Amino acid sequence: MSSLQKHLLKKSLPPALPKAFLPSSSHGSHGGRKRHKKNYTPLPWSDFFDRSEDVRVDNNCFRVYLCGTSGPVLLLLHGGGHSALSWAVFTVAVRQLIDCQVAAVDIRGHGHTMTEDDDDLSAETLISDIGAVAMALYGEKTPPIVLMGHSMGGAIAVRAAAKGVVPALVGLAVIDVVEGTAMNALVSMQGFLRGRPTSFKSLEQTIEWSIRSGQLGNVQSARVSMPGQMKRVDTSEPVEIRGEPVEEFSGSADSTRDSTSTPHLRVDNIATETIKEEEEGEGQRTEGGHVHKEQSESGSTPSDLSSASIGSTLKEHKQKSDLSSSEYTWRIDLTKTQRYWAGWFEGLSSLFLTTAVPKILILAGVDRLDKELTIGQMQGKFQMQVLSGCGHAVHEDAPDKVAEIIAGFLVRHKFAQPKEGFQRPFPAC
């Protein structure tokens, strides 16, 4: 049984609410153990991206978060249930290393993307969406594009690359998705999804839950990405924490940018509950029955990886609340998408190996490789990097390390120019 399957089976049991959510929680020392505070206040996406655009394609509107104006484009596709904001911390990190642009897309049914049929998550529809968004954004003057995806987004990236729907495609990067292990894990997916809380009292609670339950290992990434997975229970509007207006961009042949902003829920005031104290040692992941802190080779935990090098560039916002009585739930009900799951992953390994562009596969564990990819990797058909100690959301748990790997991949193939001080990492295999 792979570690991914064990991870899903372990999480099929409903996770208990963190101690901080229960009444009569005292603060200060307990039993002589030192406690420390973590900040679960949401961060606005404008701390990480330059701007966002609502790209109109026919009667559909796709939210895209953008950064940069020169260099190749990293076209980023998130995993199922996540949003484009899962790439926020990675975006800041990679743009410190190389000259590149970033376009992170909210896939149909996720985040702030609104379509005529949000429930259609078939591989064919999602592939068509990505090609149409790329054409609408760049048209005939498309810069070189490196398509990059995580989990479901990685599967769609492979299929879109194989079908040739993305113009000027020069590279493909896939994070922690392999056909064999993904197909085997699908039997446990419904139990995992049913084990999650169905609603939360505040955005802080969603962020804290993601860390305490082990869904994410990086607090900074959770603070910006988790609100993108939520919607208001009372209005069903997606939650947005932003500081700048949203541009609207039509994908038609005679399209022009509309100076007016599409109305979305704007959360300028966030519930400021007391930040809970947690004991040292809480929030650690377990694998194989052994409890350990996720640390990099330098000894930093994933939550510290980004803050050490890019934390100084991100603004902290202190915000008061008029939403303390509001409740939040998941933006998308993934349990209703089961009929599409197999279609995302079937035949994926063969498509990945035969795609005629340079490829890189980043995994959280070497045991995720299936037979076909193992043979392909031994034959040198793609570059592979394993980041052990991370969870499934590798790019969120260790954004700095993923940024170094991707930057090295782009520089190695002469897709991008390194910035001053960049040290090219030696490819693992």
Side-chain angles (χ1 to χ4, degrees):
M1 181 180 292
S2 71
S3 62
L4 178 59
Q5 289 175 277
K6 293 177 182 177
H7 180 75
L8 291 172
L9 287 172
K10 178 186 70 175
K11 292 187 177 302
S12 63
L13 295 175
L17 282 174
K19 294 178 182 178
F21 295 167
L22 302 176
S24 69
S25 176
S26 59
H27 298 278
S29 61
H30 177 69
R33 301 179 67 182
K34 183 180 178 181
R35 298 189 179 193
H36 58 91
K37 293 181 180 180
K38 282 189 177 180
N39 187 353
Y40 298 112
T41 306
L43 291 171
W45 62 258
S46 53
D47 281 0
F48 303 82
F49 296 96
D50 291 343
R51 62 198 184 281
S52 69
E53 290 182 3
D54 286 337
V55 178
R56 293 194 174 275
V57 179
D58 298 326
N59 294 322
N60 303 319
C61 186
F62 295 87
R63 171 64 62 87
V64 185
Y65 297 91
L66 299 159
C67 238
T69 57
S70 63
V73 174
L74 287 174
L75 185 56
L76 307 178
L77 308 181
H78 59 80
H82 295 257
S83 80
L85 298 182
S86 67
W87 299 101
V89 181
F90 164 82
T91 293
V92 176
V94 75
R95 295 194 69 249
Q96 287 188 336
L97 301 175
I98 57 173
D99 182 27
C100 69
Q101 304 175 62
V102 167
V105 182
D106 275 341
I107 291 175
R108 176 184 293 254
H110 296 73
H112 281 268
T113 286
M114 302 294 172
T115 66
E116 290 184 302
D117 186 1
D118 275 359
D119 294 329
D120 181 6
L121 295 188
S122 64
E124 294 76 14
T125 296
L126 299 185
I127 293 167
S128 176
D129 287 346
I130 298 309
V133 169
M135 285 299 299
L137 279 172
Y138 304 109
E140 298 300 323
K141 298 180 180 179
T142 306
I145 291 178
V146 175
L147 194 54
M148 183 172 177
H150 165 247
S151 195
M152 176 197 75
I156 299 306
V158 171
R159 295 183 180 280
K163 282 204 168 185
V165 300
V166 176
L169 183 69
V170 297
L172 176 64
V174 177
I175 296 181
D176 213 42
V177 58
V178 171
E179 177 186 352
T181 51
M183 293 297 294
N184 291 337
L186 291 184
V187 296
S188 306
M189 188 60 68
Q190 282 287 0
F192 163 69
L193 293 173
R194 287 193 297 267
R196 303 189 303 177
T198 57
S199 64
F200 300 88
K201 290 293 185 181
S202 69
L203 294 177
E204 286 89 346
Q205 195 181 76
T206 69
I207 296 164
E208 186 170 3
W209 173 84
S210 73
I211 297 298
R212 297 289 188 91
S213 65
Q215 300 301 301
L216 296 176
N218 186 326
V219 175
Q220 185 183 43
S221 188
R223 291 172 65 190
V224 63
S225 70
M226 283 303 295
Q229 299 184 39
M230 296 292 119
K231 67 179 180 181
R232 290 283 298 270
V233 171
D234 53 354
T235 64
S236 293
E237 292 186 74
V239 172
E240 181 165 22
I241 303 170
R242 60 179 181 176
E244 300 296 334
V246 179
E247 297 181 31
E248 188 171 310
F249 185 48
S250 171
S252 60
D254 57 350
S255 61
T256 57
R257 282 192 175 93
D258 190 337
S259 60
T260 60
S261 298
T262 305
H264 288 287
L265 174 66
R266 176 169 178 161
V267 182
D268 287 323
N269 301 312
I270 309 301
T272 54
E273 296 178 348
T274 303
I275 300 300
K276 315 298 189 303
E277 293 181 327
E278 73 177 16
E279 295 180 1
E280 289 185 345
E282 288 185 350
Q284 299 170 357
R285 291 216 174 100
T286 60
E287 293 183 7
H290 300 288
V291 180
H292 65 280
K293 288 185 178 179
E294 298 174 28
Q295 294 187 333
S296 67
E297 293 176 357
S298 62
S300 300
T301 62
S303 60
D304 294 326
L305 289 174
S306 55
S307 60
S309 60
I310 66 177
S312 60
T313 68
L314 307 177
K315 301 184 294 291
E316 296 287 343
H317 287 244
K318 293 183 179 180
Q319 298 155 309
K320 295 183 180 179
S321 172
D322 59 3
L323 297 174
S324 57
S325 61
S326 300
E327 290 192 1
Y328 302 87
T329 190
W330 303 103
R331 163 68 172 88
I332 180 173
D333 184 356
L334 287 175
T335 62
K336 296 180 180 179
T337 67
Q338 183 173 2
R339 63 187 182 276
Y340 301 119
W341 295 350
W344 299 339
F345 305 117
E346 285 178 341
L348 191 64
S349 293
S350 177
L351 286 175
F352 178 74
L353 291 172
T354 56
T355 301
V357 294
K359 302 174 284 290
I360 183 170
L361 177 62
I362 302 175
L363 298 174
V366 71
D367 62 336
R368 283 157 161 76
L369 278 182
D370 56 23
K371 180 179 179 180
E372 193 167 3
L373 285 183
T374 299
I375 295 173
Q377 195 275 325
M378 294 175 65
Q379 294 173 339
K381 292 184 177 181
F382 63 94
Q383 180 182 335
M384 186 181 75
Q385 191 87 33
V386 177
L387 290 179
S388 58
C390 294
H392 181 48
V394 181
H395 59 303
E396 292 202 68
D397 285 359
D400 282 4
K401 287 195 172 294
V402 174
E404 290 174 3
I405 294 167
I406 294 300
F409 174 72
L410 267 64
V411 171
R412 176 187 179 193
H413 290 282
K414 296 181 170 55
F415 298 149
Q417 292 296 318
K419 292 189 176 180
E420 186 177 356
F422 170 70
Q423 295 183 351
R424 183 184 305 183
F426 187 78
C429 48

